[in-house]
Amino acid sequence: MSNLESVSQQTLVAMLRAMYPDLVINLSLNGISLVGLSLQQKAQLIREQKLQGFTNGIMDLVLYLPNAQVLNLELKRPRGGSQSSDQLVIQAKLEALGHNYFLIRDIYDVFKLIAERTTTEFRQSQYTQLINSSAFKLFPQVERLYQF
């Protein structure tokens, strides 16, 4: 994951946590840092993660919405970021199983996806929670993202 993709993902997660506190966000471990580890430590960590279910190419975020809806999100930088061959395989498998897979180049597209798949009442309840929280100071002009 590039630095720009990492910053975009961190920004998106912070916004989602503040704006949609009732949603569940699941992060893949694909961005796990191996910096500072010896070759032996890296190999051991990767081996352990694979035994626990780590899959190469899995999407960056899974977002759980009301009514058993799920968004599988792979974040890429706006220009130039491309999927690895492992990511393309995962996308094809998910789509063949009838699941969605969204390649996100603009984090605001995630808010459009949420608005398309949730009710106005749900979004209004989440907005009410935000404006009554201390996080509202961080995101004072987000009402348009709820797409009422």
Side-chain angles (χ1 to χ4, degrees), residues 83-99:
Q83 291 172 277
S84 69
S85 59
D86 289 332
Q87 290 170 332
L88 291 169
V89 167
I90 293 294
Q91 179 179 2
K93 284 182 176 182
L94 284 171
E95 290 174 345
L97 291 168
H99 295 278

Side-chain angles (χ1 to χ4, degrees), residues 2-126:
S2 76
N3 188 45
L4 180 57
E5 289 170 5
S6 178
V7 170
S8 293
Q9 183 168 324
Q10 290 172 33
T11 301
L12 174 61
V13 168
M15 292 176 74
L16 288 170
R17 285 182 176 156
M19 293 175 60
Y20 288 100
D22 293 341
L23 298 184
V24 175
I25 304 167
N26 186 30
L27 164 71
S28 99
L29 290 177
N30 284 352
I32 193 167
S33 176
L34 302 176
V35 175
L37 299 179
S38 69
L39 287 176
Q40 183 179 1
Q41 290 170 319
K42 289 177 185 178
Q44 181 177 348
L45 179 61
I46 292 169
R47 192 170 34 257
E48 289 171 2
Q49 294 303 311
K50 286 188 176 186
L51 288 172
Q52 294 178 36
F54 176 84
T55 302
N56 289 338
I58 207 73
M59 54 276 165
D60 295 318
L61 294 173
V62 179
L63 188 59
Y64 297 89
L65 306 177
N67 301 315
Q69 295 188 79
V70 176
L71 299 177
N72 296 298
L73 307 171
E74 176 61 35
L75 279 72
K76 293 294 178 195
R77 61 184 184 265
R79 287 186 215 112
S82 61
Q83 291 172 277
S84 69
S85 59
D86 289 332
Q87 290 170 332
L88 291 169
V89 167
I90 293 294
Q91 179 179 2
K93 284 182 176 182
L94 284 171
E95 290 174 345
L97 291 168
H99 295 278
N100 63 45
Y101 183 101
F102 297 99
L103 188 59
I104 303 295
R105 294 187 181 280
D106 181 337
I107 62 174
Y108 294 106
D109 289 343
V110 175
F111 296 99
K112 292 176 193 172
L113 291 169
I114 294 169
E116 292 167 359
R117 288 162 175 77
T118 58
T119 64
T120 301
E121 293 78 19
F122 172 77
R123 293 191 309 280
Q124 184 66 52
S125 74
Q126 299 295 281

Side-chain angles (χ1 to χ4, degrees), residues 109-147:
D109 289 343
V110 175
F111 296 99
K112 292 176 193 172
L113 291 169
I114 294 169
E116 292 167 359
R117 288 162 175 77
T118 58
T119 64
T120 301
E121 293 78 19
F122 172 77
R123 293 191 309 280
Q124 184 66 52
S125 74
Q126 299 295 281
Y127 179 66
T128 300
Q129 287 184 57
L130 173 65
I131 62 174
N132 291 324
S133 75
S134 60
F136 188 62
K137 291 181 270 184
L138 300 174
F139 304 104
Q141 299 176 342
V142 296
E143 185 174 0
R144 68 179 178 84
L145 295 177
Y146 287 97
Q147 299 186 20

